[in-house]
Amino acid sequence: GPKVLQIPSHQIIDMGQMVTLNCDPVSNHLYFYWYKQILGQQMEFLVNFYNGKVMEKSKLFKDQFSVERPDGSYFTLKIQPTALEDSAVYFCASSLGLGALEQYFGPGTRLTVL
Amino acid sequence: GDKVKQSPSALSLQEGTNSALRCNFSIAATTVQWFLQNPRGSLINLFYLVPGTKENGRLKSAFDSKESYSTLHIRDAQLEDSGTYFCAAGNNYAQGLTFGLGTRVSVFP
């Protein structure tokens, strides 16, 4: 099936540093998402993005978070500064468009904040 | 997990047997996705449903939007079916999916 790639697979950083998580969505998809999963538990929606803009964000999407996709390159999630509670696995997803909304997920980036 | 309730929370199956997982929704869902999260953590797409039924090999899923539930049936369980099954509610507006807490399935010989 369609593949979403995420780089890196693991990231360890010190609290207060900035981190950027990268996602390469399915090539013709137009809608992009970030989700957060702690300790293999519930997957929680963070934000979705279309046509260069945030469409919707949850209460988990703190002011320290930002997303962008400059010129069709990676779809990124930036956290600045990081906090201990940001440790989790972050999943990127993409979907084609309205009327074809099946979301495909990447393998996740495991972020550890020390 | 309040908006999407999955049951059971865990399931132990002998190889070759059948079982059913269920999701009940307390939010408006127009689409449902079922995923299997394997031991490596990757999410595998199993089904994307509008109201109705789909079948794929030994798996079959149904979604009833009026009664606000979805089911996933596993037939002739195999060892590779082990993992955590998640259902997620979606809508027609490309919004984020709302996930349940998952059903942890263990298949033993």
Side-chain angles (χ1 to χ4, degrees):
Chain A
K3 294 284 189 190
V4 175
L5 304 177
Q6 289 188 241
I7 301 165
S9 57
H10 294 81
Q11 180 89 53
I12 300 174
I13 58 170
D14 291 323
M15 183 176 62
Q17 284 190 313
M18 181 194 76
V19 68
T20 300
L21 309 182
N22 299 292
C23 171
D24 188 9
V26 179
S27 61
N28 60 341
H29 283 189
L30 300 176
Y31 292 83
F32 313 117
Y33 311 79
W34 284 103
Y35 292 82
K36 178 181 181 180
Q37 187 180 40
I38 296 178
L39 293 175
Q41 299 303 312
Q42 186 171 13
M43 187 80 70
E44 300 206 76
F45 167 73
L46 288 176
V47 65
N48 63 353
F49 190 85
Y50 168 72
N51 197 25
K53 298 176 186 173
V54 169
M55 292 174 57
E56 179 198 14
K57 55 187 180 181
S58 73
K59 61 181 185 298
L60 295 179
F61 193 78
K62 305 182 297 184
D63 291 344
Q64 296 89 331
F65 289 19
S66 63
V67 290
E68 65 175 353
R69 193 186 187 204
D71 298 326
S73 61
Y74 288 141
F75 174 52
T76 61
L77 173 65
K78 183 185 293 186
I79 309 174
Q80 180 178 27
T82 50
L84 295 176
E85 61 265 26
D86 296 330
S87 294
V89 180
Y90 290 84
F91 288 90
C92 171
S94 68
S95 63
L96 179 57
L98 292 177
L101 295 173
E102 182 172 5
Q103 293 184 27
Y104 293 87
F105 283 70
T109 294
R110 182 177 297 276
L111 176 65
T112 302
V113 182
L114 302 176
Chain B
D2 288 348
K3 297 177 181 176
V4 177
K5 288 191 176 178
Q6 285 190 245
S7 60
S9 57
L11 192 56
S12 192
L13 289 175
Q14 187 165 32
E15 222 176 350
T17 61
N18 306 330
S19 192
L21 286 58
R22 186 177 174 104
C23 277
N24 289 311
F25 307 109
S26 59
I27 54 173
T30 52
T31 63
V32 172
Q33 285 192 243
W34 282 92
F35 301 90
L36 169 60
Q37 188 164 38
N38 64 21
R40 293 182 60 186
S42 294
L43 278 173
I44 300 165
N45 285 41
L46 298 177
F47 292 102
Y48 170 73
L49 293 158
V50 295
T53 301
K54 282 188 180 178
E55 191 164 356
N56 184 6
R58 295 179 294 99
L59 300 180
K60 182 176 180 178
S61 185
F63 172 37
D64 186 329
S65 59
K66 290 182 182 177
E67 299 297 323
S68 299
Y69 76 91
S70 178
T71 56
L72 176 69
H73 292 261
I74 304 173
R75 177 175 54 80
D76 184 25
Q78 301 296 306
L79 297 176
E80 61 264 28
D81 295 333
S82 296
T84 302
Y85 290 78
F86 288 98
C87 68
N91 56 49
N92 292 325
Y93 303 102
Q95 293 176 322
L97 296 173
T98 302
F99 280 76
L101 291 177
T103 295
R104 188 182 297 259
V105 172
S106 300
V107 182
F108 60 94

